[in-house]
Amino acid sequence: MNINVIKFQILVLIDRYNKVTDVARELQMKQPTVSFHMKSLEKDMGVPIYIAQQGRMMLTEAGKAILPHAKQILALTDTVKRTVQQFSSLGQGDVLIHTDSLAAENVLPEVMSRFASEYPGITVRSSLIEDSAGEGNTEDSFLLARTEKQPLSQEPESSDYVLLQQDQLVLVSAKDHPLLMSDSVKPSDLSQILFVDYESQGLLDKYTEQFTEQTNIHLWKRISAATPQAALKTVSLGNAFTFLPASMLSFTSANISSMPIPGLEEQDTRLCTYLYRRKDLSPAASALWNFITS
């Protein structure tokens, strides 16, 4: 049996146009060539596939039965071609990074910008993960950026992740906040001030819970922002504070002030952002991974 893709293309187009001449025009072939492939497919299958009715070319019941499979074969062929093209040239492709909100706003913009300058033909996108476990809707993603409370304990030679950034969580407030202008802010002082919570896929909760455990002070959480940047904007208005990575303050307004979190040691407030990869990276995703790790 000698079945090639063109025979299935003709089958699909006959079902669409019901005219051999139209199929020949679509495929830029001569009509006898199309007819040859039609007869060849019938010979391969051992049953009639086509039937002429009132000047139109139709599919027999056998032809209709294999039509869905023919479409699947053509779709798979297109996928194979696209994959091969990506391997032959890194001038095209698409990379999706699933990420938590802190990595999305604080770490990935610089990485994505530098990569896009190096590979202008590759589209790189980020999408927020959905749940507090940091996994969520990542089944279709080759890469995952996630901020962790502390450095990973895996062996350094592991090739499944790479450190993007080390950071320190700090207390952030408006510069003119009366309770935070003192040189010696105590944990008990924070119980009197509004705390701005924000969506962080559960990461911020780990720090606030540790703060309460070590200081016996409960934070006054009455504001919950959608993103870290929204929390920062809220804090800048002057009546609240929050905990944010120190690196987020590089491009903020002059009205923002930061300090170490009272009651917590330096090692308690470390956080690291990692990029994780799956084994079966696409060519475009491999280009990004190699760009970061090289």
Side-chain angles (χ1 to χ4, degrees), residues 184-195:
S184 57
V185 177
K186 301 184 295 296
S188 57
D189 296 332
L190 303 185
S191 64
Q192 308 172 50
I193 312 172
L194 285 171
F195 180 84

Side-chain angles (χ1 to χ4, degrees), residues 227-255:
T227 67
Q229 285 292 345
L232 184 60
K233 176 67 175 179
T234 304
V235 163
S236 71
L237 299 178
N239 63 344
F241 76 100
T242 191
F243 298 157
L244 285 169
S247 61
M248 280 193 69
L249 310 180
S250 303
F251 304 101
T252 58
S253 68
N255 189 43

